[in-house]
Amino acid sequence: MADEPLILGIETSCDETGVGIVRGHTLLADALASSVDQHARFGGVVPEVASRAHLEAIVPTMRRALSDAGVTMADIDAIAVTAGPGLAGALLVGVAAAKGYALAAEKPVYGVNHLAAHVAVDTLEHGPLPEPAIALLVSGGHSSLLLVDDLATGVTPLGATIDDAAGEAFDKVARLLGLPFPGGPPIDREARAGDPAAIAFPRGLTAPKDLAAHRYDFSFSGLKTAVARWVEARQRAGEPVPVADVAASFQEAVCDVLTAKAIAACRDRGVQTLVIGGGVAANSRLRAVAQRRAEKHGITVRVPRPKLCTDNGAMVAALGARLVAAGVAPSRLDLPADSAMPLTVVSV
Ligand code: KG4
Ligand code: ZN
């Protein structure tokens, strides 16, 4: 609706420089510049390289978003920016830019939580989020299950990974298999030609004794080690590594645990809606397994389209829109970038 506030969101927490513009739940622009190619040969994001790339990309990306949306800075009602968690130097570029634009154009600024933004982005595709909802947040740096009573004011963490994040496991296993970085998309692709039941890889923290203490927690480091041992054994025996089968079996182990625990959380809490966000939510198998299992229990799964799952500016704008609609006060102009911002803090 034309009378809803026009929100601009800036994202620079990792390797994507994103500027999104939304009006209410309507996405008007989602401009993105990625430095992923500059990190590929290192097998992971290099913080200094990412910061410099943000610095070079932020103004052109900003201009592109405004032009795509057909608006000017004067039309914007509020600016939202990722204040954390993420790489300190990378966050600083976005936060400094947001402050500069806010000061120059006299706009309120909201420093927001990147992880809450991964949940909020779904509203751009499916409209308002029915609350309470359970959110499964799976990215390169985080894997958590949350109870979302009110996304504008706070979320309750139910569990999280005790070692590697789900995306990190994809990245490490891809490396083992000689696939490019980031590892999620190539594993997703390879797995389509493989047999998910070919190799029985371990399902972390699902044994009855582990469930007692870690019902909603995840562990992917044992799985990663199991894949490494399996691949090494084949190589030592001088046999070829069946990449598609290993990828499919690994992916199945991850998706099995993520969806089983997410659905258990919904059922335990009597919650009807499961929203999945973060880069790993782009995974085709995760989406399919979640859908199939949720249907059995009358639970609705909401996952945004893959482009909105990975980091972008639209998700930050979407959370900003939610905060403005809820009447949450803007941040102070001296808001800090907080690389370790806790999940429970939605805005600063
Ligand atoms: O949310 P995101 O873009 O950045 C962080 O906040 O971390 O997530 C990036 C992660 C990477 O680990 C990447 O391998 C993973 O998301 N990812 C995927 C897929 N696409 C991206 N993992 C599995 N399947 C995919 N299709
Ligand atoms: Zn992210």
Side-chain angles (χ1 to χ4, degrees), residues 13 114-115 118 139 278-279 309-311 315:
S13 69
H114 178 84
L115 303 170
H118 269 306
S139 72
C309 291
T310 46
D311 290 351
M315 65 191 226

Side-chain angles (χ1 to χ4, degrees), residues 9 63 74 98 103 121 150 160 208 222:
R63 291 204 177 121
L103 195 62
V121 71
D150 181 349

Side-chain angles (χ1 to χ4, degrees), residues 223-249:
L223 169 61
K224 170 196 67 192
T225 307
V227 176
R229 295 241 169 87
W230 196 93
V231 169
E232 282 157 18
R234 289 293 286 234
Q235 287 167 334
R236 254 198 319 274
E239 292 167 21
V241 175
V243 172
D245 281 348
V246 176
S249 301

